[in-house]
Structures are given as structure tokens and as C-alpha cells.
Amino acid sequence: LIEAGGQLSFNGVKDPYLSEGLSVIVLGASGDLAKKKTYPSLLDLFDMGHLPSKCKIVGYARSAKTDENFRAGIRSFLEKRKEIAPETMEAFLELCTYEQGQYDSADDMQAAIQNGLGEFEADGGSGVKFNRLFYFAIPPTAFVSSAASIKNGGGENNAGWTRLIVEKPFGKDYGSAKVLCDDMNDLWEEESIYRIDHYLGKEMVQNLLVLRFANTFLEPVWNRNHVQAVHIAFKEDFGTMGRGGYFDNFGMIRDVIQNHLMQVNVLQCCQPVQIDDVVLGQYVANANGDVGYLQDETVPNDSVTETFCCCVLKIDNPRWDGVPFILTAGKALERRMAEIRIQFKPVAGAAFMFEGATVPQNELVIEIQPSQEIKFATNLKMPGLQAHPIRSELDLTYKGMYDDIPNPEAYTRLILEVLRGNQAAFVRMDELLQSWKIFEDVLQYISKHKSEPLPYTYGSTGPREAHQLMSYYGYNNNSTGRAPRNRQASVRGRFVGPHRRDSFDK
């Protein structure tokens, strides 16, 4: 239940934090992330009535700015929220001030808190309890030092709660993630740390729980007896566009697959990914003038960083044993999209019932971007005198069905969940480390052997070998009939990945 003004939560009870004071401190306030995401999301919450009446937002960064300079710097980004009234925006800007300081200086942090919040939180002796929210819109290298300066500089609030929002990436592998988590937990309790992944705040991702558990008809088929494969895909139709220097330090496995696509899997039951179940790719120039990855001037000429990855996860539990979970992510592909596609097994006996006709497989598709849709591919009778089945989609498009209902951006939703103290939509430490463990062996193998990614043309669907891998595991790429099993790239009856050095010795 959400009433006008946003004062009530799901169960109709007013959120407790709204009756208290709130101090928000945005570290890295002059950076792109803060200006493009953090402040516009806070504006959304202010406009919808999800910030307390006693609220102040203090920007904190190393550059010298006055309050007026800072407000002028974020104004153009806030103005992109066309639906928000000008007077609401001006009222929000009045809440925003700025303090200068070094991230690793407890003295600077203490001065910023005293100057920016001292009088505000005193509130004339009213006795109102104030909570504090620190948003880390800063590089990961500054996480621990900033957390320490907050702790040692009087940032912890004794009266109300103190919470820290930490942005990805959370390490580059299991070892670095473990060190980062341990260092942060030495300073702050796990319940105070909110590791944000904006994909967990997207409407269709948050809809998965309701779709799965609020629909009776899905329970009997949500298992290995009926599901043939699950494909989770993330595609971008553009390359690095001159910003490959950052991406080259991570690659597609670390940047997207481990960070985003793993959030919808049963992590504790996943086997470690094997090199035979991985296809890596790197895009090359096409005939239309789109340049290849190595032609990006910020990328080393000999880079073997993957811009595409397709891999298969295997889950060891009674419900999903034998069902491949296929993760695909890539840049410079044929279109932009993110979706979850659940492909069901072919209908038993259909060929006899329908005179040898090919019966398309059922699919449940949750499209996350660019549009928000839920589609269920069913089979209906072909119009006319014949009784042959044809594929037809039952389609729910959110924009068409719920166009009059506000649909906030992911960051807006997630910041609200932090204010409510709900950690379900955030990455816990054990979850983070387990997801890195799943990829630890294959990342070490790729690094040790300097595995070269396969070339694919800018604007294509990716390397051919990725489709062979998916087909081998029973995924039907065209979904119009029974999936073929490709055995051309197999040895002794199993698929051999193109990056294995000792393929024929195993």
C-alpha cells in the first residue's frame, strides 16, 4: 500500500524513520555518480514524501566549493526530472550543502560533520532522534579509509542508526573481496553496510519474488521436471566508446556476470564454473565503421580482456539438478537488452497428437530492459481448418498496463530500502564471497594461460562457439522446436571449451 505522499509502507504502517530526523552525507558529491544518480534519487524521494520533514543532505569531497557553487553543479542533473515541479526542486536544493575534506582524514570528517550537521541535529534541544546515512559515491580504493575516517571522526550516531551505502565493484576476485569485506567489518557491523547493486532495484528484478510465489500455476512446473534451461542475458549494442581503460582492468566476467547476473541464482548450491563451460569473446571492427575493442586508444594493443562471455552454471539441489543456468553478457552486440528466459521442456507425445507438426517450446520471459515486460510463450491452434499448433505470446507490458503508476528508478528504490532498514535487496558479505568463489577457478585459469577471447564482429550476436555451448546443454536458440545437441566440439561425449589448453588430455 503506497498512498499519495508516500507516507505508508507495504503493510499500511508509517515508516518509523519519517518521524525522526535524517542526515545524509554523500562522499564523492562532486563526481558523476553522485550528480547523475544519488542526488536525483534523493530528489525523487523528497518529491514523493519519503524523506522526513527534518532532513539535510551534506555533500563531501576534496574539491573546494561553496554551497552555491555546489547547488549550481547538480542543478542541471536534477532538472532532467521533468515531472517534478520547480518549487519542489528549489526546496530540495535548500536542503543540500557542501563540505570540503580528504576521504582518509578523520579530522576533516569530524569538521565536516560539526560544521554541516552540528546545529541542524541539535534542533534547538527538541529531543528529536536523528539518523545518519553515508553514501559512498567514491572509488573502491577509498572505501576503507573513508569508513575509518567516519568511525574515528565522530560519524557514528549514538542516538539513531548509522548506515553506509557502498557502491560496486566489490573486489576483483575472491581474495581482494575478502580483504575488503574484512577491513570494512573491522570498522562497522555487517548490519550497517549496504552494498548496492542497482540491478537489484530494477522493477522486473524485484518482481521475480512476487511472480514466483504469488502465482499458484508456477509452483508445479518450477523445477527440473519441466524446465529445460534458464538463460540470463545482458547485451549492450555499443562498445567501450573511448573509455576502455577502466573496463580493461575488469572484463565482462567481473564487471557484469559476477556483479549483476549472479544475483538471481542459488549461490550456495552452484558448482564452480569450469573452463569447458566458458566462451570468451572480444569484438572487432565491422564494415559500417564501428571500431574494434583494440582500436580504442585507452586499451592496450595486446589486451586479452573479454568483452563477451557465455558460461554455464550447474546447481546441486533436488529442484534444479541437471538444468543449465546459462549466463551471457557482452558489449557491441546486435541489440541492447537484459532478460531472464525460462525455457520449458518439449511437450511429450505432441508429434503424434498433431500429425508430426513441430510444437514450439513454452517460455517465460522477464524482460528487464529496454522495456519492462513479462511474456509467456504458449501454443495455440493455427487459424483455419488445420489443427496445427503455433507459437503465441501472452504479453504484459508495464508501460501500457501501468502507465499512470509512478515507476521510480532503481537507485530511488534502493535508497528507500536503506532508510527502511531492509537489507534484502542488497549484497551481503557471504553472498558476495560465494559468488566470487564460483568464478575463482576459471578466473585463475584464464589469467594463468592468458586465454585469448574469440573475435566477433561489432553488431553481431557474439562468437559462434557460444551458440554451440548453449545448444550442447539443450538450450533452443530459436525456441520453435526441439533443441539440437551439437557434438562437433566434443571429446568422448562431452563439450570441450575453446579456451582449454589441454582439451584432449583430459
Side-chain angles (χ1 to χ4, degrees):
L1 175 64
I2 300 178
E3 289 192 351
Q7 296 296 311
L8 298 183
S9 63
F10 163 76
N11 57 6
V13 178
K14 184 175 181 180
D15 288 311
Y17 76 89
L18 288 170
S19 302
E20 302 161 349
L22 176 65
S23 301
V24 182
I25 301 92
V26 181
L27 284 72
S30 59
D32 279 353
L33 176 62
K35 290 187 289 188
K36 293 179 179 178
K37 296 296 183 181
T38 311
Y39 277 94
S41 296
L42 290 169
L43 171 61
D44 287 342
L45 294 176
F46 178 75
D47 180 56
M48 293 185 289
H50 284 299
L51 294 184
S53 57
K54 295 181 184 296
C55 178
K56 188 172 184 181
I57 304 169
V58 178
Y60 182 85
R62 292 172 295 190
S63 51
K65 294 177 184 289
T66 64
D67 290 349
E68 290 72 22
N69 292 151
F70 177 70
R71 289 167 182 154
I74 64 173
R75 180 182 289 274
S76 61
F77 296 93
L78 302 180
E79 288 175 344
K80 294 179 181 179
R81 298 291 207 264
K82 302 294 185 183
E83 70 280 4
I84 294 180
E87 57 271 21
T88 301
M89 188 178 304
E90 294 302 324
F92 174 78
L93 283 168
E94 286 298 313
L95 305 180
C96 301
T97 61
Y98 182 85
E99 297 291 334
Q100 180 188 6
Q102 298 297 317
Y103 300 129
D104 59 355
S105 171
D107 291 339
D108 286 358
M109 181 61 68
Q110 186 174 32
I113 291 172
Q114 182 58 40
N115 296 335
L117 299 175
E119 184 179 346
F120 169 70
E121 291 185 346
D123 196 35
S126 66
V128 172
K129 180 171 68 174
F130 281 80
N131 301 309
R132 287 180 182 172
L133 173 62
F134 291 86
Y135 195 113
F136 284 35
I138 52 178
T141 51
F143 284 176
V144 176
S145 59
S146 297
S149 67
I150 294 169
K151 188 78 171 183
N152 300 324
E156 189 168 16
N157 194 348
N158 293 325
W161 50 253
T162 302
R163 294 169 184 161
L164 282 61
I165 299 180
V166 183
E167 278 279 351
K168 79 175 189 74
F170 313 120
K172 289 187 64 175
D173 51 28
Y174 176 82
S176 59
K178 181 73 164 58
V179 170
L180 179 59
C181 287
D182 288 346
D183 289 346
M184 290 291 289
N185 285 137
D186 285 343
L187 296 163
W188 295 90
E189 297 291 335
E190 179 69 14
E191 64 183 16
S192 298
I193 301 172
Y194 291 72
R195 299 175 189 87
I196 193 169
D197 177 357
H198 70 277
Y199 264 78
L200 291 178
K202 289 185 175 291
E203 174 69 28
M204 301 311 293
V205 174
Q206 294 198 334
N207 203 353
L208 285 173
L209 195 65
V210 177
L211 179 67
R212 164 65 181 87
F213 291 104
N215 293 286
T216 305
F217 75 94
L218 283 178
E219 172 58 31
V221 299
W222 205 266
N223 54 58
R224 63 190 299 270
N225 297 323
H226 297 278
V227 176
Q228 178 160 298
V230 178
H231 185 208
I232 305 168
F234 173 91
K235 295 184 178 184
E236 292 179 337
D237 57 0
F238 53 87
T240 51
M241 299 188 298
R243 296 189 294 272
Y246 169 82
F247 179 83
D248 200 70
N249 292 318
F250 292 90
M252 193 54 67
I253 294 178
R254 291 180 170 92
D255 191 52
V256 175
I257 288 183
Q258 187 279 332
N259 267 328
H260 297 314
L261 303 193
M262 288 296 291
Q263 303 302 330
V264 296
N265 274 297
V266 189
L267 295 180
Q268 291 291 347
C269 300
C270 281
Q271 300 177 17
V273 175
Q274 302 298 313
I275 192 64
D276 277 338
D277 295 330
V278 175
V279 173
L280 307 175
Q282 188 182 90
Y283 66 88
V284 297
N286 62 18
N288 299 326
D290 296 308
V291 300
Y293 180 69
L294 295 181
Q295 293 169 284
D296 184 327
E297 293 181 355
T298 65
V299 173
N301 294 331
D302 59 349
S303 172
V304 291
T305 298
E306 77 282 358
T307 61
F308 174 96
C309 178
C310 177
C311 64
V312 178
L313 294 180
K314 299 167 185 176
I315 298 178
D316 284 336
N317 68 16
R319 182 180 288 271
W320 295 113
D321 182 37
V323 178
F325 280 69
I326 303 167
L327 310 183
T328 302
K331 290 183 175 293
L333 295 173
E334 81 282 11
R335 64 189 178 110
R336 173 179 176 264
M337 66 89 124
E339 70 172 25
I340 302 168
R341 186 174 292 261
I342 301 164
Q343 191 169 91
F344 294 92
K345 291 182 177 181
V347 178
F352 299 98
M353 183 175 293
F354 299 108
E355 301 177 0
T358 299
V359 179
Q361 289 172 257
N362 297 133
E363 289 185 323
L364 178 61
V365 183
I366 300 100
E367 185 171 322
I368 301 167
Q369 65 183 32
S371 62
Q372 297 175 337
E373 298 182 42
I374 297 175
K375 294 178 284 190
F376 190 31
T378 61
N379 295 313
L380 302 176
K381 174 187 172 298
M382 179 184 294
L385 300 178
Q386 292 183 326
H388 284 195
I390 60 170
R391 181 184 175 106
S392 182
E393 290 185 344
L394 304 178
D395 187 351
L396 167 63
T397 303
Y398 261 58
K399 188 173 182 180
M401 180 67 71
Y402 305 117
D403 193 39
D404 58 338
I405 298 178
N407 193 359
E409 290 187 0
Y411 276 92
T412 304
R413 299 169 186 270
L414 292 174
I415 294 175
L416 177 59
E417 293 305 307
V418 177
L419 297 178
R420 288 174 169 168
N422 179 14
Q423 289 193 310
F426 296 85
V427 183
R428 253 179 17 193
M429 180 178 71
D430 55 347
E431 174 190 353
L432 171 65
L433 296 180
Q434 182 64 25
S435 66
W436 275 121
K437 271 187 180 179
I438 293 168
F439 286 95
E440 184 71 3
D441 290 347
V442 77
L443 286 171
Q444 289 182 359
Y445 187 98
I446 293 169
S447 175
K448 176 182 176 181
H449 294 287
K450 299 188 184 302
S451 303
E452 293 190 12
L454 305 170
Y456 65 94
T457 305
Y458 194 120
S460 68
T461 59
R464 174 177 56 90
E465 290 81 355
H467 301 288
Q468 292 178 344
L469 175 64
M470 295 168 68
S471 176
Y472 176 84
Y473 277 102
Y475 182 78
N476 186 356
N477 279 294
N478 58 28
S479 305
T480 58
R482 192 177 297 273
R485 290 256 176 183
N486 187 308
R487 298 290 181 179
Q488 294 180 356
S490 64
V491 174
R492 302 189 187 113
R494 68 174 178 82
F495 188 87
V496 174
H499 307 291
R500 178 177 283 284
R501 288 293 183 89
D502 53 352
S503 298
F504 296 93
D505 298 329
K506 294 290 183 181

